[in-house]
Each structure stands twice: as structure tokens, then as C-alpha cells.
Amino acid sequence: MRPINRRQLIEGAALCTLAAPSASLSTPAQAANPPVLAVAEIANGVFVARGVHEVMTAENGGHIANLSFVVGSEAVAVIDTGGCARTGAALLAAIAAKTQKPVRYVINTHMHPDHVLGNAPFRATGAEFVSHAKMPRGLNSRSARYLAHNTQVLGAEFAGTEIVLPTRLVATAMDLDLGGRRLTLTAHGTAHTDNDLSIRDHNSGTLILGDLLFCEHIPTIDGSIRGWMRELDRLAGSPAERVVPGHGPASVSWPQALAPQRRYFEELISGIKDLIKNGKTLSEAVESAALEESRSWMLSNEYHRRNIATAFAELEWE
């Protein structure tokens, strides 16, 4: 195997794992006839459409992340919208099948394409688009690459997809009222990305974490492994009846669900630090760091080496 340098690893992995558009394509016929999304009511008025554990493909329409919506007495809040306009339209149809209340807010937990590229169909609802204050900068900086990659991967399924930037930003925390139902949005420090947002539904005790929490699907690092560990420590002390991860079951027990992700990060940090201490290179690290632990996760072949590259760049300066 030829040696792999850090630039090749990080750039190659970013192209393979991140995608989103900066310009609109024509409105697709399939958006008018979207696929049916199965949704589960995990608590009174809290619904989740579970994503599949796959990379984005035309077959799955970019529906690889968990998408949620919360219904109050007056309005609905949507949390993440999927990987293309067609999936977003399917989510909108699933909401209409459960309630006639209007969608007031579309909340994006972070900038990654599987969470934001279904936004476009929701513009017709007149909803406000809400995100972490740092998300617009990050999303804009990657939009050209996102568009090129997802157009190639999703083909006709990607038609009608476009970037929809937030109209309301969360710098620290914000409460949203759905009518007798309060959501608290919290902006987190750099972790999975530098623009992670969590949502707490006070009525049901449900905490929606986006990609701050992965279950079954291996976590993917696009921010800071140290920062992510700090955020996990803070979240562990925050009570919740249930948690919705960005990838995994529709809901999981809390804080027990944190244990596998914490163990993976600890093994990754320990392994990389030992390799750095012994003068090993990044090319050597990607072949051995936390290898056994990574095998317990789905999609480890697709993402584990990228995680090593990102963590190595951070940890070698400690």
C-alpha cells in the first residue's frame, strides 16, 4: 500500500462524506410525488423518521439521518430535513398526515448535507429556518463541493435541491414556543462540527442531539475530538427521558447511550497519542489506531480512517 499523507486523507474523506448544493436545480417531478417516510411517535407529539445506516445514494435519497418534528397546540417545529429536496418533501407530507398545524420552524442541528438539504420544500410553509450562529459561514464555504458531489451521487434524485440558509441564529440558547410547548435550543462548542445545536422538548423530556450522538453508525469527526468529549461530559449531566441521536434508533436511553461513543473516542485518543509519542506518522496511524474498537461500529470502513486523520492533526500539537 502506498503511503497516505494527511492532505489526501482529509480532503478525500471530506469529499466522500460531506455533500450539499449552493444553487437550485429545476423543481423535480419526483418532489411532487415524494416517497413515503415512515415516522414513529416516540413521545406525545414527538415524531422521528429514522435514517438508514448507509452513505448517500440515489436509492436512499440521502435519507441517512434521523429527521424529527414536534407538534404543539399551535404549530410544528421540524428538526433536520434530509439529504435532498425529495426527502424534504416526503417529510413535509408525513407531517401533513399527522397534523394540520402549520410548520413554524425548521431547525438544522448542523451544516452537514444529510441534515439540511431537504430544506427547500419547507420554504413554501413560511417557516423560519433556525441554526447555530456559525452554520451559515460553514455551509457557504463548502457549498460548491457539496453541490458537485451530491449531483454526481444522487443524480435525478437531487433535482430541486438547494441551499436554504437560516433566517434566525442561535448564539448561546433560545426558546421557541409551539403553543403550550416550549423548545430550548442550545448552541454547543466545537464538537462534531463547529455549529452543533441541540433541542430539548420540555413537555416530553426529549432531547434531540443531532450528530452530537451517534448510535450503531460510527461517529464522524468534522470538528474537535477533544471538544466533542467536553460536550459529551456536559450533556451526560443533563437529564432526559429519552434522546434522539443523529444516526441510530429513533430514541435511546439516557445517558447510557453515550457509553459506546465515549469508549470509541477514548480508544482513538489513547491510540493516536501513543503513536505520536513513539514517532509514528499519520500513514502508520491510519492502519492501527483504535482498529479493534472501530470494528464494533457500522460504516467503520467508510469513516474510521477519516476520524484518525482529523484527530491526529489535532492531537499532535498537544
Side-chain angles (χ1 to χ4, degrees):
M1 181 176 179
R2 298 174 62 183
I4 302 169
N5 62 46
R6 181 181 307 142
R7 183 183 182 88
Q8 289 171 323
L9 276 167
I10 295 176
E11 290 186 352
L15 184 60
C16 290
T17 61
L18 304 174
S22 60
S24 173
L25 303 177
S26 60
T27 301
Q30 58 263 46
N33 298 285
V36 176
L37 278 191
V39 298
E41 188 170 13
I42 63 167
N44 185 31
V46 182
F47 298 85
V48 179
R50 181 178 179 179
V52 296
H53 292 327
E54 299 173 359
V55 297
M56 294 175 73
T57 65
E59 288 71 26
N60 62 42
H63 180 33
I64 61 173
N66 290 340
L67 316 176
S68 309
F69 60 95
V70 181
V71 181
S73 64
E74 298 176 0
V76 177
V78 178
I79 300 97
D80 292 333
T81 58
C84 68
R86 190 176 185 217
T87 298
L91 180 60
L92 188 55
I95 295 168
K98 298 296 182 181
T99 179
Q100 296 305 304
K101 296 181 177 68
V103 175
R104 183 176 294 170
Y105 304 106
V106 174
I107 304 164
N108 291 131
T109 59
H110 63 290
M111 67 183 176
H112 284 163
D114 50 327
H115 296 260
V116 305
L117 294 189
N119 281 2
F122 288 90
R123 288 195 300 190
T125 69
E128 288 192 79
F129 291 85
V130 188
S131 81
H132 191 294
K134 292 184 178 180
M135 196 187 86
R137 175 194 55 78
L139 190 53
N140 273 325
S141 71
R142 293 182 177 180
S143 59
R145 184 174 66 211
Y146 284 0
L147 175 61
H149 179 71
N150 279 340
T151 299
Q152 180 181 12
V153 168
L154 297 183
E157 294 294 308
F158 198 60
T161 305
E162 58 182 293
I163 286 290
V164 178
L165 292 174
T167 56
R168 192 168 181 178
L169 302 178
V170 183
T172 53
M174 177 185 295
D175 282 354
L176 300 178
D177 181 19
L178 303 180
R181 190 158 209 155
R182 178 168 61 95
L183 304 182
T184 296
L185 282 54
T186 301
H188 293 268
T190 301
H192 172 61
T193 67
D194 71 350
N195 52 89
D196 298 307
L197 200 66
S198 65
I199 299 93
R200 178 180 294 278
D201 171 39
H202 293 274
N203 285 42
S204 68
T206 302
L207 186 59
I208 301 171
L209 288 180
D211 282 5
L212 287 168
L213 179 65
F214 282 71
C215 299
E216 303 169 348
H217 180 309
I218 194 167
T220 60
I221 306 167
D222 191 26
S224 163
I225 190 169
R226 290 292 197 193
W228 202 341
M229 287 290 282
R230 286 191 292 271
E231 292 301 322
L232 293 182
D233 288 341
R234 294 188 184 105
L235 286 166
S238 182
E241 294 295 321
R242 67 196 60 78
V243 164
V244 179
H247 298 264
S251 69
V252 291
S253 299
W254 188 254
Q256 296 90 332
L258 275 178
Q261 183 167 313
R262 188 191 301 275
R263 183 172 60 249
Y264 172 64
F265 286 162
E266 288 172 347
E267 288 290 327
L268 196 58
I269 290 170
S270 175
I272 291 173
K273 292 293 285 184
D274 285 346
L275 289 163
I276 291 171
K277 181 180 179 180
N278 291 310
K280 301 300 183 181
T281 65
L282 174 60
S283 293
E284 292 170 307
V286 298
E287 301 304 324
S288 59
L291 185 60
E292 288 302 317
E293 177 61 29
S294 73
R295 288 172 176 158
S296 65
W297 294 87
M298 297 179 69
L299 298 181
S300 59
N301 288 340
E302 289 79 2
Y303 297 108
H304 179 57
R305 288 172 55 153
R306 175 182 183 270
N307 288 339
I308 294 172
T310 304
F312 193 100
E314 177 180 354
L315 298 171
E316 71 176 332
W317 295 105
E318 292 187 344

